[in-house]
């Protein structure tokens, strides 16, 4: 679990027993505040680590850090900047086929963009930034989820406030995107996104 507690970013491990959950002690991974939507987290099954993605309020740059769980505690490697410019509305998912992390975010030109992250020990490195959905004037609210049935990462965003979706394919440390498709022709924002592996469908919620 990641939290922004009194302008300090922390993580803590939860243990489920039956229908209850208990938590270990919170560990600080950044002594500062984050921009909305706050830190996002994904699990890398191959590396058996978690990666937390966040945007610092101090510079609005995008950062990520690797966490290792031991018992009810978590420890961290060194943080790494994946985008040294204004970055907002970040999200992160794990591609189980490529065994890579995919980080989506809104860049300084308000494009919905993505980048591939690779874990090595307790550190993470990144490929090149690629554009998924070009903004027009109000591209924003980038969200992502991995679709294991089609081996793609689904990215949603907005073009001039119109809801759009694009498919991302990871190859090595690079990502490429298909042409964005409109899913809602009216003013669209505040996305949520998930994937149903039983129905083999993605579901997007939006305002």
């Amino acid at each position: 679990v990641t939290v922004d507690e009194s302008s300090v970013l922390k993580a803590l491990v939860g243990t489920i027993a039956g229908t209850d959950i208990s938590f270990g002690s919170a560990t600080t991974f950044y002594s500062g505040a984050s921009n909305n939507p706050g830190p996002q987290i994904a699990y890398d099954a191959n590396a058996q680590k978690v990666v937390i993605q966040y945007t610092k309020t101090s510079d609005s740059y995008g950062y990520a850090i690797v966490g290792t769980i031991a018992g009810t505690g978590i420890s961290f490697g060194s943080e790494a900047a994946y985008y040294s410019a204004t970055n907002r509305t970040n999200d992160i998912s794990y591609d189980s086929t490529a065994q890579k992390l995919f980080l989506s975010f809104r860049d300084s030109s308000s494009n919905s963009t993505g980048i591939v992250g690779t874990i090595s020990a307790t550190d993470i490195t990144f490929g090149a930034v690629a554009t998924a959905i070009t903004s027009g004037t109000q591209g924003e609210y980038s969200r992502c989820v991995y679709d294991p049935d089609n081996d793609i990462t689904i990215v949603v965003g907005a073009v001039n406030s119109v809801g759009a979706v694009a498919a991302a394919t990871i190859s090595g440390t690079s990502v490429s995107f298909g042409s964005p498709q409109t899913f809602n022709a009216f003013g669209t924002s505040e996305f949520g996104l998930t994937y149903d592996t039983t129905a083999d469908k993605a579901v997007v919620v939006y305002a």
Side-chain angles (χ1 to χ4, degrees):
V1 179
T2 59
V3 294
D4 187 337
E5 180 183 312
S6 301
S7 296
V8 176
L9 301 187
K10 299 180 178 182
L12 63 164
V13 176
T15 303
I16 296 173
T19 58
D20 296 324
I21 187 169
S22 59
F23 296 96
S25 300
T27 301
T28 298
F29 59 90
Y30 172 61
S31 297
S34 65
N35 288 340
N36 287 333
Q40 305 294 305
I41 189 169
Y43 177 65
D44 182 325
N46 178 60
Q48 298 182 4
K49 309 281 185 182
V50 298
V51 174
I52 301 172
Q53 176 190 21
Y54 52 101
T55 302
K56 293 182 181 180
T57 300
S58 60
D59 58 14
S60 293
Y61 292 178
Y63 295 87
I65 194 167
V66 176
T68 303
I69 294 173
T72 59
I74 186 169
S75 59
F76 296 97
S78 301
E79 73 173 14
Y82 63 85
Y83 189 68
S84 297
T86 300
N87 162 72
R88 299 186 65 184
T89 60
N90 51 294
D91 200 10
I92 186 170
S93 61
Y94 176 68
D95 182 325
S96 57
T97 300
Q99 298 181 344
K100 302 287 185 181
L101 282 306
F102 177 81
L103 292 76
S104 68
F105 57 96
R106 190 180 82 179
D107 70 11
S108 56
S109 298
S110 293
N111 301 314
S112 291
T113 58
I115 194 168
V116 176
T118 303
I119 293 176
S120 177
T122 59
D123 295 321
I124 185 168
T125 56
F126 305 100
V129 174
T131 299
I133 303 171
T134 304
S135 67
T137 59
Q138 296 181 21
E140 55 185 345
Y141 303 107
S142 185
R143 290 288 180 266
C144 64
V145 70
Y146 179 62
D147 172 352
D149 295 293
N150 295 292
D151 191 23
I152 58 171
T153 296
I154 300 167
V155 180
V156 297
V159 180
N160 296 324
S161 294
V162 172
V165 60
T169 302
I170 293 174
S171 177
T173 60
S174 300
V175 60
S176 58
F177 296 95
S179 299
Q181 305 295 317
T182 298
F183 67 85
N184 185 51
F186 302 97
T188 312
S189 63
E190 307 291 348
F191 300 111
L193 182 65
T194 192
Y195 188 79
D196 183 329
T197 55
T198 300
D200 299 341
K201 304 288 183 183
V203 178
V204 58
V205 295
Y206 55 91

